[in-house]
Amino acid sequence: MNGRDTLRKMRPVFVFALIGVIFMFTAPYVLQLFTIINLTTAIALAVLALSLALVWGFGGILCFGQVAFFGLGAYAYTIAAINFGGSTWAILVAIMVASAFAALLGYFVFFGRVSDVYLGVITLTVTLIFFSLIRRTSGPEYTIGKALMGGFNGITSPPLNLPWDAGSFLFPEHVFYVAMAALILCYVFCGWLVTTHFGRVCVGIRENELRAELLGYDSRLYKLGIFTISAGIAAIGGVLFCNGVGRITPDVFNLYNAALTIIWVIVGGRGTLIGPIVATFGLFYLTSALGGQSLFNNNLVLGIILIFFVLLVPKGLAPTVTDWFTRRRKPRRAAGRRRRAARRTGATEA
C-alpha cells in the first residue's frame, strides 16, 4: 500500500481527530471545572477502550484483563513519580512497565499456543491476582522506595508537571488538554497502525490464523506485537486516570471494570476505533447519571444494554451507523450513474 492509499484509508481518522482537536480547545471555555475534571476521567477510560478495540477488534485477541495494564500503568506512574520527584520520566516508566509485563505474559501465552478462550481466562485471572495482592499491602512495611502502597486505600498520585520544571504542576484544565491530546494521538496512531503491513497481517491472522501461517507469517510474533502495543496504550490511559481522579486504588483491577471495558467495545463495535471511544463517553455519563438515583441499579441497566446490543445490534454502534449510511447512498449513486448514462446516450444519438 502506497502513501496515497494510506492517506485515503485514514481520511475518517483525520476527520474524527480534527473534531477532537476542536472539542479540546473549546470545551474549557464552555464547560464548568467540575465537568472538565469528569471529562478527563472519561478520556482516560476512552484510551483504555481504544487499547482493547485495537487488540480485540483488529488482532482478534479477547483480553478480558485489559484493565491489568491500565492499573499497572497507573501504579507504576504513581510510584515512579513519588520516587523521581516529577512526572516526566514516570510516564515513560509506566508505559515501559506495562508493555514489558504484557510482552512477558504474551510470550508464554502465544508461544505456548494457548487458545483464545484460555487467554481470556488467564488475563482475567492476572487482573484479579493484582486486585487481591495490592489490597493486602496496607502495612507500613509495604513500600517501594519512598512510595507507601497503601493497600485498599491506594496511593495519592502526584500531578503532572511541566517537563522542564518539576515544581510547576498542571491545573485541571491543563490536564484536560494533555488527556485530549493523548487520546487524539493514540487514536491517530492506532488508525495508522491498522493500515500498515503489520496491521493488515494482524487482521488476516484474526480472520484465519492457519491460512496466514501457511503464507509464511509467524502469528505468534504478530499477536505478541499487537498485544504489547495495546498494553502500552492502556498504560497511558492509566496515567491519565490517576491524574484525573487524584489517586489510584486496587479497585481499578476489579471484575466490574474488567467487564465494563468489554461492554464499551461491544457497544461501540468491534473492528472500529471510534466506536468504543464514543461508547465509553456515552456509558460513562449514563452510569454517572444513574448514580444519582435509587430506582434503577447501574449493573442491571448495563446488563440490559449489553444484551440489547448482542442480540439486536451485534455489529455495534459504529458499524451499524456506517452500514445504514452506505445503504442510503447506494441508491443515490446508482440513480446518478443512470442519469449520466442516459445523458451520454442522448448526446451520442444527437
Side-chain angles (χ1 to χ4, degrees), residues 63-343:
C63 181
F64 212 119
Q66 194 72 6
V67 290
F69 312 121
F70 180 80
L72 194 59
Y75 265 98
Y77 163 81
T78 301
I79 294 170
I82 292 174
N83 284 281
F84 293 162
S87 64
T88 304
W89 291 105
I91 296 173
L92 298 177
V93 169
I95 298 173
M96 291 173 60
V97 167
S99 300
F101 178 76
L104 180 63
L105 177 64
Y107 173 80
F108 291 105
V109 170
F110 299 124
F111 282 81
R113 296 292 184 179
V114 176
S115 66
D116 295 339
V117 175
Y118 289 109
L119 186 147
V121 173
I122 290 172
T123 53
L124 178 60
T125 303
V126 169
T127 303
L128 297 179
I129 289 173
F130 277 126
F131 175 67
S132 179
L133 286 178
I134 298 179
R135 282 176 61 89
R136 298 176 181 176
T137 58
S138 56
E141 66 274 13
Y142 295 103
T143 59
I144 300 179
K146 301 176 184 178
L148 184 65
M149 294 299 293
F152 56 84
N153 290 318
I155 318 175
T156 300
S157 300
L160 293 172
N161 59 259
L162 296 176
W164 56 87
D165 187 1
S168 298
F169 299 113
L170 302 184
F171 291 103
E173 298 92 337
H174 302 144
V175 176
F176 168 77
Y177 286 128
V178 173
M180 273 300 301
L183 175 60
I184 293 169
L185 290 175
C186 288
Y187 173 66
V188 173
F189 170 75
C190 291
W192 167 80
L193 184 67
V194 298
T195 63
T196 62
H197 177 75
F198 172 83
R200 296 197 303 274
V201 172
C202 288
V203 172
I205 294 172
R206 179 198 67 186
E207 296 299 322
N208 194 319
E209 184 173 351
L210 177 59
R211 183 177 298 175
E213 290 187 339
L214 291 175
L215 291 173
Y217 297 107
D218 190 343
S219 63
R220 301 170 300 178
L221 287 176
Y222 284 93
K223 283 185 173 183
L224 181 61
I226 198 168
F227 187 68
T228 304
I229 292 171
S230 73
I233 296 173
I236 295 174
V239 172
L240 299 175
F241 179 79
C242 64
N243 273 277
V245 176
R247 65 187 301 105
I248 184 66
T249 67
D251 289 337
V252 73
F253 297 107
N254 64 24
L255 182 60
Y256 173 80
N257 289 322
L260 193 58
T261 312
I262 302 292
I263 294 175
W264 293 333
V265 177
I266 291 175
V267 172
R270 279 185 60 201
T272 69
L273 297 173
I274 192 62
I277 294 175
V278 173
T280 303
F281 281 103
L283 293 178
F284 175 82
Y285 281 100
L286 175 63
T287 52
S288 298
L290 291 173
Q293 53 82 44
S294 57
L295 182 61
F296 300 103
N297 183 273
N298 284 5
N299 296 333
L300 177 62
V301 174
L302 289 175
I304 293 173
I305 292 173
L306 176 61
I307 293 172
F308 173 81
F309 273 87
V310 169
L311 296 180
L312 301 180
V313 194
K315 291 184 178 180
L317 189 62
T320 302
V321 172
T322 302
D323 291 345
W324 182 77
F325 276 107
T326 302
R327 287 195 301 269
R328 285 180 61 88
R329 291 173 61 184
K330 280 183 178 179
R332 295 179 182 177
R333 289 182 175 180
R337 286 194 294 267
R338 286 195 296 268
R339 285 195 297 269
R340 288 192 295 270
R343 284 196 296 267

